[in-house]
Amino acid sequence: MPALNRVQLIGNLGRDPESKFTPTGKKVAQFSIAVTNRWKTGGETKENTEWVNIEAWGRLGEICQDYLKKGSLVYVEGRLKTDKYEAKEGDTKYFTKVVALAMQMLDRKPSEEPMITAEEDILDFEA
């Protein structure tokens, strides 16, 4: 049976991207984005913000590190990945993140600056 694991998000960075290297020497940039939904209920406007953790590998991660900053408006396309770790109490904790496969900056820039779009080959990040 075919499967689909694809996420598309537009949101603002909550912090500057942070880069790390894996033990095998691969570079990964990590950041979070705030995705806010707004709706009206009985004439009152309400909103809910979801915080999503993003990681970008290889060249895409380098571009994110160089060009994104806290508050940047960004489109991210990727796939969901759930990791686990052992908490101090000995419990196993799970967390879900988005592994970015494509990113586009949506901030408005002067017309002489080109818009940068980046996509990453699916083989360039760790599974």
Side-chain angles (χ1 to χ4, degrees), residues 5-110:
N5 182 357
R6 183 69 70 178
V7 177
Q8 296 176 318
L9 300 166
I10 294 177
N12 294 91
L13 268 72
R15 58 183 165 86
D16 292 345
E18 296 175 5
S19 291
K20 297 179 183 178
F21 288 93
T22 66
T24 60
K26 293 185 179 184
K27 188 173 187 177
V28 59
Q30 298 172 328
F31 55 95
S32 60
I33 63 172
V35 180
T36 302
N37 294 313
R38 291 181 181 87
W39 69 94
K40 285 193 175 190
T41 302
E44 181 183 352
T45 302
K46 296 185 178 186
E47 69 177 39
N48 179 51
T49 301
E50 294 287 338
W51 285 93
V52 182
N53 293 319
I54 311 290
E55 68 179 24
W57 292 85
R59 181 67 182 132
L60 180 58
E62 291 174 16
I63 292 170
C64 290
Q65 179 71 44
D66 292 343
Y67 293 99
L68 298 180
K69 63 184 185 319
K70 180 178 179 177
S72 295
L73 183 62
V74 66
Y75 164 81
V76 175
E77 185 174 331
R79 66 178 180 85
L80 289 175
K81 183 172 192 269
T82 301
D83 284 337
K84 64 181 177 178
Y85 66 94
E86 287 287 325
K88 292 179 183 176
E89 304 82 35
D91 297 340
T92 301
K93 302 284 185 172
Y94 296 89
F95 63 97
T96 302
K97 60 189 169 189
V98 173
V99 177
L101 301 174
M103 180 276 298
Q104 184 169 357
M105 292 177 279
L106 301 176
D107 286 327
R108 294 179 186 218
K109 297 287 181 187

